[in-house]
Structures are given as structure tokens and as C-alpha cells.
Amino acid sequence: MSTVERQAKIRMILVNTSHPGNIGGAARAMKNMGLTELYLVQPKEYPAPRAVWRAAGARDLLANARIVESVDEAIKGCGLVVGTSARERRIPWPLINPRECGMKIWQESEHHDIGLLFGREDRGLTNSELHKCHYHVHIPSNPEYSSLNLATAVQVLAYEIRMASLSDAEGVLPAMNDWDQPLATADELESFHEHLAETMEELKFYDPNNPKQLITRMRRLFNRTRMDKMEVSMLRGLLSATRRTRPK
Ligand code: SAH
């Protein structure tokens, strides 16, 4: 697969952005680094002239940006989803640094679409958005002032993807391990998690009035294993069989 085809599999997804200038800045940062797929989840003010000014020579990227209603819609079909985070969260998630993130994204771009999520300027990504991710990435900034400008964060991560692609062109980036089945996509995982939650509730294993983070921990467990499509359908078969055969 060509470099351009792989670049086109990497979606930079800006969630609920307030300032259109940041959207333009992100488009420019992406184009400078050879990325093309900009997704905007419910931008607060868009289209906007300020986005166009800040995009400078990257207006084509803005014009082609996909505006969608939800994070689920933005990550549909993605085999890898990574969420950015400016700070520590309550429940730790598999965490990678920008360099590892660039390498992983580039390696996997040969096999499936990838979503990299960026949060709101004032409060980042919500927990439920972060819990849809396989990994979180943190730019190791000054702990006393850890939050970068949104477009700057896009720049740093796009640069690392670029560096990984250049290492690959030189033949020094290891390829992703061969696997016999394609990995499950974000939407398949989401349906699996819903099926699991319904089954746990029906079996009275899970009490929605006393959740104790069970659902979050199950999400973390299964997202960490990077299940393939066949593994997901096996587990869904098991859940269906459990529900069918449960004594009434
Ligand atoms: N106050 C917010 C910060 C949001 S900054 C919070 O506490 O989460 C806006 C967005 O820029 C973040 O959601 C993330 O996408 C990106 N960003 C900013 N600083 C970052 C960092 N150090 N590491 C990774 N992403 C960062």
C-alpha cells in the first residue's frame, strides 16, 4: 500500500471544538505532516472565516473535513482508536507516549483505519469518550502547566506519525505482527460491550444502581486485548447462548 493511501487511513478527530482558529491550525499542522483526514465532531462554531485564515495553505483539508454528530460516527470502522489526554485520569488506561503512538499508528495504518481523538479546549475528552479507546497518549509536558493548545497537540502527534513513516521508508520500523484475522472495529467493539452489559444486567451480575465501575473495567479489559473479528463473534455467541439457556 502506498504512503498516501496509508496517510488517508489516519483520522484526526477533533471533538466539540470551541475555537474555529484551532480547527484551521489543526488542518495546517496535518497538511504540513502529510495527513489528510480531518473529522469534526459537533464543532461549536463552524464553518468560520477564522478557521480558513488559520488553515493558510491547508484550506483544501478544511473543505474536505467530515462533520459528524458523534464520536461513534467518527471512529466507525477504525481498528485502532487512541485518545489524547492532558492529565491523569482516575482509572488508568494503557498509556503510550507520542513516539510510541506515532509508530503504532503508522504500523497499523497498513491494516485498518485509525482514529486519534482530541478533546475540548476547556475540558478535554469525557470519560466515556476515553473509554472507547485502546490507548491513551499523553504529551509529556510540564506537570505544572500540562495542557497544550489543541492545534499544537495535533502538531506534535502528527509530527511523530511523520517521523515513523520516514523510519518506515528507510526500512527501520518493524512491521505489525501478522495475524490470521482482521481486528474488530470500534463499532463492532461497541456492539459487543452493549451485548455484554445487557447480559450482565439480565444475569443480575451487574446492578445499574450500584455500578462500581464494572462496565468501565470490562471495557478496559476487552479493549486491551485487541480482539479480532472472530474473537468478538465467538464471545457474542457465548453471551447469546448464556441468555438463551438461563433458567427462568
Ligand atoms: N483542561 C483540559 C485540557 C484540554 S486541552 C483537560 O484537562 O483535559 C485540549 C486538547 O488538546 C486535549 O483534549 C488534548 O486533545 C490536547 N492536549 C493538550 N495537552 C495535551 C497533552 N499534554 N497531551 C496530550 N494531548 C494534549
Side-chain angles (χ1 to χ4, degrees):
M1 193 182 297
S2 75
T3 300
V4 172
E5 283 168 321
R6 283 171 72 167
Q7 287 166 336
K9 293 175 89 168
I10 303 169
R11 308 178 190 170
M12 301 297 249
I13 303 167
L14 310 190
V15 181
N16 253 192
T17 310
S18 301
H19 302 293
N22 281 333
I23 298 177
R28 180 175 186 171
M30 286 171 60
K31 187 165 177 182
N32 283 144
M33 299 297 123
L35 296 176
T36 51
E37 306 306 301
L38 176 61
Y39 281 63
L40 306 173
V41 180
Q42 296 199 4
K44 299 249 167 71
E45 190 190 327
Y46 194 81
R50 272 183 297 158
V52 180
W53 301 334
R54 277 283 299 280
R59 289 174 187 188
D60 53 331
L61 241 89
L62 274 190
N64 292 329
R66 273 188 238 186
I67 302 174
V68 295
E69 285 303 308
S70 65
V71 167
D72 284 326
E73 200 180 332
I75 61 178
K76 187 164 194 277
C78 289
L80 170 67
V81 180
V82 182
T84 53
S85 180
R87 61 194 156 99
E88 293 249 329
R89 303 282 168 159
R90 202 147 57 110
I91 290 206
W93 219 256
L95 185 68
I96 50 179
N97 67 36
R99 193 136 307 162
E100 292 163 330
C101 179
M103 292 195 290
K104 194 174 283 298
I105 286 179
W106 191 256
Q107 284 162 332
E108 296 200 17
S109 67
E110 205 182 343
H111 301 277
H112 41 245
D113 287 0
I114 293 151
L116 183 51
L117 294 170
F118 294 87
R120 300 152 187 84
E121 290 93 333
D122 54 347
R123 53 194 183 91
L125 294 165
T126 62
N127 283 335
S128 87
E129 289 159 354
L130 284 164
H131 295 164
K132 294 179 188 294
C133 300
H134 296 103
Y135 297 94
H136 293 166
V137 56
H138 172 69
I139 300 165
S141 43
N142 175 1
E144 295 183 1
Y145 187 49
S146 65
S147 167
L148 280 76
N149 163 264
L150 173 58
T152 310
V154 171
Q155 182 73 78
V156 170
L157 293 170
Y159 170 74
E160 290 295 345
I161 296 170
R162 178 97 183 149
M163 290 305 283
S165 80
L166 296 176
S167 302
D168 193 25
E170 288 169 16
V172 291
L173 188 75
M176 189 180 161
N177 281 349
D178 272 341
W179 203 251
D180 56 341
Q181 298 289 326
L183 294 191
T185 57
D187 37 304
E188 289 163 347
L189 285 177
E190 201 56 42
S191 310
F192 164 74
H193 285 302
E194 274 167 31
H195 196 167
L196 177 63
E198 281 163 20
T199 310
M200 290 194 305
E201 200 174 328
E202 197 174 299
L203 299 177
K204 305 215 174 349
F205 178 68
Y206 167 65
D207 175 4
N209 300 316
N210 186 15
K212 293 197 196 131
Q213 297 185 324
L214 179 64
I215 300 284
T216 303
R217 289 181 187 281
M218 286 289 187
R219 276 187 170 269
R220 184 172 68 170
L221 164 63
F222 286 108
N223 284 9
R224 200 164 79 224
T225 64
R226 306 296 309 276
M227 291 189 289
D228 64 39
K229 286 180 190 294
M230 188 176 279
E231 290 162 342
V232 169
S233 68
M234 259 164 29
L235 285 177
R236 293 201 59 174
L238 174 64
L239 292 174
S240 299
T242 310
R243 287 170 86 170
R244 261 197 320 272
T245 54
R246 183 173 76 97
K248 296 285 175 229

